[in-house]
């Protein structure tokens, strides 16, 4: 069992930056591939970024490539999402998720555990 708690969301102007954190409970964090997803009102949850268990491989949606960076610190049981050059279309609730079996998956169904989400709002 893994419990995930996101933090770091908020209101920012277009062009600004935010850093999201996701803290995981338990001593098995390094066994899980991690991902970030987001969901805007009236839209389906969509993939943002993912990182392998060791942090050696990262994956990004085309819409955030070059602007967002995913990283993890297994000693701190935490995964991060650094978001730069934010746009109004990045406004959404951001969720972190853990997958035991899938590396870099962009599919919601491949993730076993989810956080409660943190709101990111980008004003124009």
């Amino acid at each position: 069992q893994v419990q995930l708690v996101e933090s770091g969301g908020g209101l920012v102007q277009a062009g600004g930056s935010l850093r999201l954190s996701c803290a995981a409970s338990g001593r098995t964090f390094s066994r899980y591939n991690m991902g970030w997803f987001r969901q805007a009102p009236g839209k389906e949850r969509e993939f943002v970024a993912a990182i392998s268990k060791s942090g050696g491989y990262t994956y990004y949606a085309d819409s955030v490539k070059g602007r967002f960076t995913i990283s993890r610190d297994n000693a701190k049981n935490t995964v991060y999402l650094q978001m730069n050059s934010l746009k109004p279309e990045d406004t959404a609730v951001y969720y972190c998720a853990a997958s035991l079996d899938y590396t870099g998956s962009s599919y919601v169904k491949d993730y076993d555990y989810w956080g409660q989400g943190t709101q990111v709002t980008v004003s124009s």
Side-chain angles (χ1 to χ4, degrees):
Q1 187 85 10
V2 176
Q3 292 184 322
L4 304 171
V5 179
E6 302 96 335
S7 61
L11 174 64
V12 63
Q13 288 189 332
S17 298
L18 281 174
R19 188 195 196 201
L20 305 183
S21 299
C22 173
S25 65
R27 292 175 288 183
T28 60
F29 178 69
S30 61
R31 295 177 57 195
Y32 289 87
N33 302 289
M34 299 298 295
W36 285 96
F37 287 73
R38 65 187 182 187
Q39 189 166 18
K43 295 189 176 181
E44 293 187 353
R45 194 167 297 190
E46 66 173 5
F47 171 75
V48 175
I51 190 166
S52 61
K53 297 174 185 180
S54 67
Y57 297 92
T58 57
Y59 310 82
Y60 297 94
D62 288 343
S63 59
V64 306
K65 203 170 293 183
R67 300 188 297 123
F68 290 11
T69 302
I70 188 171
S71 62
R72 67 188 295 163
D73 185 338
N74 286 346
K76 295 183 178 180
N77 283 10
T78 302
V79 61
Y80 305 96
L81 185 68
Q82 178 66 45
M83 305 186 295
N84 298 329
S85 302
L86 282 161
K87 305 175 181 179
E89 51 263 44
D90 294 319
T91 295
V93 177
Y94 283 70
Y95 299 90
C96 72
S99 174
L100 189 60
D101 297 323
Y102 296 92
T103 302
S105 175
S106 61
Y107 296 104
V108 169
K109 66 177 181 62
D110 290 340
Y111 289 81
D112 306 297
Y113 300 102
W114 292 83
Q116 83 290 346
T118 186
Q119 176 71 46
V120 171
T121 303
V122 184
S123 64
S124 57

